[in-house]
Amino acid sequence: LGAEAGSRNPYRVAGRVNYDFFDLEKAGAAGSNSASAANGYVYAGTNRGTKKVFAIGAWGDGQGAYKAYGADFMFDWPIMKDAITITGNLQHYEQNITATTLPKQNDIYADAGYYFDVAKIQPFFVYQKLNFSDDARKTGNQQRYGGGINWYVSGQNMKVSIYYQRIAPEVKPVTAKVKDTNELTVQLQALYF
């Protein structure tokens, strides 16, 4: 197979640490309607007023010239039967200069929502920023912001979401007919164990 054989690639190393200051985000925990309130890799999104969660995490991933790392947090706090949820993360990606699939970049993501238990809905707002480091790719820098509503039909086991976002490139060519883009997403999420 020659020098390009996959068995000759460097080892890939990845890891993540997370610390919960109050209640633990653990699968099947008391008060959860779902056997998968958290799967260990990502936060639940909201515990719908059943837990007091303030968590911080950090992660890293690398293989040869590819490196990625970041940090995140989740604040999910009950207010009577309702809940406020705020999450955010910072991410950095880079790989060697010849690779075009994952250019060097720094990304930001943040969202905030308020869960109303009486209606099982959660209005939310989202902000994202994609920031390329190389001058040649700066035209791809963009911000995304928007909001929507989640309807928790059956806890985390079934959720319907509708989400609008505005995608605003930092560089807007004068010849472009459309400077910013609008996007509407409708999603059905179902989980069965």
Side-chain angles (χ1 to χ4, degrees), residues 6-30:
S7 62
R8 291 181 179 82
N9 288 337
Y11 287 107
R12 184 169 185 176
V13 178
R16 184 173 194 286
V17 294
N18 182 87
Y19 185 79
D20 293 315
F21 287 94
F22 299 98
D23 293 341
L24 296 178
E25 263 210 314
K26 186 175 178 186

Side-chain angles (χ1 to χ4, degrees), residues 97-117:
I97 197 68
T98 60
T100 58
T101 55
L102 187 62
K104 189 174 182 179
Q105 60 190 282
N106 297 297
D107 304 329
I108 297 170
Y109 175 88
D111 68 37
Y114 191 89
Y115 175 74
F116 293 94
D117 184 64

Side-chain angles (χ1 to χ4, degrees), residues 16-98:
R16 184 173 194 286
V17 294
N18 182 87
Y19 185 79
D20 293 315
F21 287 94
F22 299 98
D23 293 341
L24 296 178
E25 263 210 314
K26 186 175 178 186
S32 171
N33 288 344
S34 171
S36 66
N39 66 16
Y41 297 106
V42 297
Y43 300 115
T46 182
N47 290 287
R48 301 174 324 280
T50 63
K51 295 183 179 185
K52 295 178 180 178
V53 175
F54 177 58
I56 58 172
W59 60 273
D61 185 14
Q63 181 180 21
Y66 161 71
K67 293 175 186 63
Y69 50 86
D72 52 64
F73 76 92
M74 178 182 182
F75 178 76
D76 187 29
W77 209 258
I79 300 174
M80 310 241 299
K81 289 188 173 188
D82 300 341
I84 187 167
T85 304
I86 303 168
T87 63
N89 67 54
L90 303 170
Q91 303 171 87
H92 173 80
Y93 297 97
E94 64 181 79
Q95 73 183 25
N96 66 27
I97 197 68
T98 60

